[in-house]
Amino acid sequence: VVDDLMTISRLESDSGLWEKGPLDLRSVVQESTQLFLPFAKERKVNLEIQLEESPMIVMGDKKALGQITDNLLDNALKYTAQGGRVVIRLARENQKAILEVQDSGAGISKKDQNRIFERFYRVDTARSRALGGTGLGLSIVKHLTESHRGQISLNSTPGIGSTFRVSLPIKLD
């Protein structure tokens, strides 16, 4: 909780603690996926990774970009039932790196989708409390994405699942 509060405080004060440089976003996605494989196995959720073969160079901070992927994977795995599926994919679209985390979880209602990136907002407080978390994860993801000149969006259908999509500018030579 304290770490999340400190992170959101730094982000909102725009204290510039990130060391941005060129990096291959594929390595960040691979590291996060490897980190969450044991959690997926424990929850009996199939975790798949789909990456482009060519480098996906962005200007960014490795720790911050890792926190984006970690938070999205953590949520997807927590809210996907046993036997479900989570896919993390990284693709190129025009001059953007598109990171998607798609799950076959409970989904999020339209009324909640408008607020999901707010600090401390939880869709199902009883379930969220049981699964842990601070209600800050998606707010942190949004702030980190925007601090990297990116955008985040959500496509979700209750009972079917959710896809979080992060778009980041690709570094041009």
Side-chain angles (χ1 to χ4, degrees), residues 112-164:
D112 289 318
Q113 289 179 31
N114 294 330
R115 301 191 60 202
I116 199 76
F117 296 105
E118 293 176 14
R119 288 184 297 162
F120 303 112
Y121 187 77
R122 293 177 176 205
V123 172
D124 178 351
T125 55
R127 184 166 181 205
S128 295
R129 205 170 294 119
L131 293 172
T134 60
L136 291 171
L138 290 176
S139 181
I140 290 170
V141 168
K142 180 181 179 194
H143 282 288
L144 288 172
T145 299
E146 290 174 350
S147 77
H148 283 78
R149 298 180 320 140
Q151 297 175 322
I152 185 164
S153 61
L154 166 64
N155 183 4
S156 186
T157 304
I160 299 205
S162 301
T163 302
F164 286 86

Side-chain angles (χ1 to χ4, degrees), residues 73-93:
L73 280 173
D74 186 51
N75 281 351
L77 290 167
K78 281 182 183 175
Y79 291 99
T80 298
Q82 182 177 333
R85 179 176 177 227
V86 171
V87 179
I88 183 166
R89 69 179 60 85
L90 184 60
R92 183 182 317 268
E93 194 174 280

